[in-house]
Amino acid sequence: DTAVSQTPKYLVTQMGNDKSIKCEQNLGHDTMYWYKQDSKKFLKIMFSYNNKELIINETVPNRFSPKSPDKAHLNLHINSLELGDSAVYFCASRHPGTGELFFGEGSRLTVL
Amino acid sequence: RKEVEQDPGPFNVPEGATVAFNCTYSNSASQSFFWYRQDCRKEPKLLMSVYSSGNEDGRFTAQLNRASQYISLLIRDSKLSDSATYLCVVRIPGDMRFGAGTRLTVKP
């Protein structure tokens, strides 16, 4: 069983479109994250949710809107996609005791 | 200044070499420390936590110096399979911060 699963793994779309990435974890963790890894490979936090509540919202354009219907799911919706949004987006959940992050396999977004 | 800074790399070493990675962090409220490994086109995975007294896991040794706000990772007897990017990760209150990573290539 995959602990943290993201869909889709690959997404190719045109500028201006709207797209969503879904994430689910079956680890029972309360805290989930979205990270963006750009072409320079730097992992940057975008959002953090704890038990469905937004905890961290880094300086991210409001075209990005996370939604957490329950603590096992954290989805990411992106409006009006731009070229600079091309990156790999990783979902993660955090073990409450050890602090270890468990990542999904990533969703590679390419905006043309 | 970035919150977590690492050696830029890349490191290219022969099999069997010993290689050391350094990391510094700026937030004195940092609570816990980790090294993650990321293979090409894969997700990051925990390599080891870093404890104040230093800790070892097989060929890997991690050290923490809270006074200097410095973390290190030593890999002994490098294997081809150690080739990856190594990420220094620091937990601050409510969040985890990643370094940019250091790429290691171990060659035959």
Side-chain angles (χ1 to χ4, degrees), chain B residues 29-71:
Chain B
S30 298
Q31 298 166 315
S32 44
F33 310 89
F34 309 86
W35 284 101
Y36 276 71
R37 170 191 170 133
Q38 187 173 21
D39 291 300
C40 189
R41 303 180 81 87
K42 297 284 189 182
E43 72 274 23
K45 291 184 179 177
L46 179 68
L47 177 67
M48 59 196 300
S49 302
V50 187
Y51 302 119
S52 298
S53 54
N55 49 300
E56 190 173 303
D57 183 1
R59 298 180 293 108
F60 299 84
T61 301
Q63 298 277 355
L64 167 64
N65 184 324
R66 282 189 183 269
S68 303
Q69 297 186 180
Y70 168 90
I71 307 157

Side-chain angles (χ1 to χ4, degrees), chain A residues 85-101:
Chain A
D85 297 334
S86 296
V88 181
Y89 292 84
F90 285 102
C91 176
S93 71
R94 181 164 61 85
H95 189 286
T98 65
E100 179 180 355
L101 289 176

Side-chain angles (χ1 to χ4, degrees), chain A residues 36-87:
Chain A
K36 178 181 179 181
Q37 189 169 44
D38 59 25
S39 57
K40 294 182 180 177
K41 307 299 182 188
F42 186 58
L43 259 173
K44 188 173 180 183
I45 190 168
M46 301 175 69
F47 301 102
S48 167
Y49 267 72
N50 188 39
N51 204 5
K52 302 192 298 177
E53 287 192 21
L54 179 65
I55 302 299
I56 294 170
N57 181 352
E58 290 292 310
T59 309
V60 176
N62 58 14
R63 299 181 294 104
F64 290 79
S65 52
K67 280 192 172 55
S68 182
D70 55 63
K71 76 173 194 177
H73 295 84
L74 181 60
N75 304 323
L76 183 65
H77 188 75
I78 315 170
N79 289 326
S80 303
L81 279 156
E82 300 178 357
L83 293 176
D85 297 334
S86 296

